[in-house]
Amino acid sequence: MQRDGKQLEASLDNLIPKVQDIKNSIGTFLMKLENEYTTMTWPSVLDNFALLSGQLNSLGRLLKSERMPALRNYVFLPLELNPERDVELEKQTEGRVLAFNHEVVPDYLRTKPEPEVEEKVQQLFTKAGTVAQDNTQVLNPDRSFVPQNKRQLNALTKITSNILDIINSAREDWENETSKKSNPSPTANMSDTNVLIAATCFGKGLKQLRRPDINTQQQITVAQQQAMQQKSQHGNALKAPSTIKTNIKSASSNHPYQRP
């Protein structure tokens, strides 16, 4: 028991600095996001994520090492609950926990999720267990998903092809719009503009209309009048005088019922 206690203390001494480093890195990253979001670049964000990832991997290797005892086998129990303010506890928790009372113990010493969360997780596990075998997937050594059967492989290939078609179509539309914006279509023709300017200012290319002569108009008017007179005379000549006289005499008729 004494040996296990010393091993646990040594493991905790190695574990606490790594957890503290992760805490400091997260706090620094959050401060940058809150105060330097206008000048922060994406490579800087990736560097912070890479730092956190390396620290978490180091912590995971420490927890899996042979010298680290199985912490899940140890139970953490509160020995004393005090509703009064504890200065030492406040200092150790950096002001997050002011008193170790009945209100904070269930949250800080919880080893299982809350009942509502645990119920939702159980529903997800139950739903995952009801999935058909044809739709299940396995992982390759390189952590990539592999379909279990040929039908699922064909469906996955079809989905991938559709996504590629959509991406290519969007790329072509984007390139066309970019080319149109960089090379706008001309809205004027300089040659036509020059022709219009020359025609407006100098009368170039315009045909001059010939005005009819006054004598010509008088001759045309006299000719029209003569033609009309000849036409009227010709029409009177075609009419022949009537030489047949018609005498209509009243015929006497004897009416059968004539009065005497």
Side-chain angles (χ1 to χ4, degrees):
M1 293 293 295
Q2 187 177 2
R3 180 182 177 184
D4 293 340
K6 290 182 179 180
Q7 185 179 5
L8 179 61
E9 290 180 0
S11 301
L12 291 177
D13 291 338
N14 295 329
L15 187 63
I16 289 174
K18 293 186 178 297
V19 175
Q20 187 68 27
D21 292 340
I22 295 175
K23 174 181 170 296
N24 294 334
S25 299
I26 294 175
T28 304
F29 185 37
L30 291 176
M31 186 175 295
K32 288 182 179 179
L33 291 176
E34 292 177 357
N35 301 323
E36 302 178 5
Y37 61 92
T38 57
T39 60
M40 198 171 187
T41 60
W42 182 244
S44 177
V45 175
L46 293 180
D47 292 340
N48 285 274
F49 276 120
L51 178 61
L52 289 172
S53 178
Q55 291 175 346
L56 290 173
N57 290 331
S58 177
L59 179 63
R61 287 193 298 269
L62 179 61
L63 292 174
K64 294 179 181 179
S65 63
E66 296 178 356
R67 293 179 296 178
M68 177 65 67
L71 298 178
R72 68 181 62 184
N73 296 332
Y74 293 89
V75 180
F76 187 49
L77 296 175
L79 300 178
E80 182 181 358
L81 298 178
N82 187 7
E84 302 295 333
R85 185 170 182 175
D86 190 346
V87 179
E88 185 65 24
L89 180 62
E90 183 179 358
K91 181 179 178 181
Q92 292 292 331
T93 58
E94 298 180 356
R96 291 189 299 272
V97 182
L98 303 180
F100 201 62
N101 50 26
H102 295 80
E103 184 180 357
V104 299
V105 166
D107 294 330
Y108 283 92
L109 302 185
R110 184 184 298 277
T111 57
K112 294 179 64 177
E114 295 183 357
E116 294 82 1
V117 177
E118 189 174 4
E119 183 179 358
K120 291 182 179 180
V121 172
Q122 187 62 34
Q123 291 176 358
L124 293 175
F125 278 115
T126 304
K127 185 177 180 180
T130 58
V131 177
Q133 186 66 24
D134 294 341
N135 297 328
T136 57
Q137 296 175 337
V138 296
L139 285 174
N140 268 340
D142 59 350
R143 310 297 296 174
S144 60
F145 287 100
V146 177
Q148 289 283 1
N149 53 19
K150 187 175 180 181
R151 185 175 64 182
Q152 190 176 0
L153 179 62
N154 294 333
L156 183 61
T157 303
K158 185 177 179 181
I159 294 173
T160 306
S161 300
N162 292 334
I163 293 175
L164 288 175
D165 293 339
I166 293 172
I167 293 173
N168 292 330
S169 178
R171 180 181 179 182
E172 291 177 358
D173 295 339
W174 177 74
E175 290 179 351
N176 292 333
E177 291 179 359
T178 304
S179 61
K180 289 180 180 179
K181 290 180 180 179
S182 59
N183 298 322
S185 58
T187 58
N189 190 345
M190 291 304 300
S191 60
D192 294 342
T193 303
N194 293 330
V195 171
L196 290 174
I197 293 174
T200 305
C201 297
F202 307 105
K204 185 178 180 180
L206 299 179
K207 294 182 179 180
Q208 185 177 3
L209 297 177
R210 295 180 62 185
R211 295 182 178 180
D213 192 3
I214 299 176
N215 297 327
T216 306
Q217 289 183 352
Q218 292 178 354
Q219 293 176 2
I220 293 173
T221 305
V222 172
Q224 290 179 353
Q225 292 177 356
Q226 293 177 356
M228 292 176 65
Q229 290 177 0
Q230 292 177 0
K231 185 176 180 181
S232 60
Q233 292 176 0
H234 182 66
N236 294 331
L238 291 177
K239 292 182 179 180
S242 179
T243 57
I244 302 173
K245 294 182 179 180
T246 306
N247 295 325
I248 300 174
K249 296 180 179 180
S250 58
S252 60
S253 58
N254 295 325
H255 198 277
Y257 299 101
Q258 187 177 5
R259 288 181 182 182

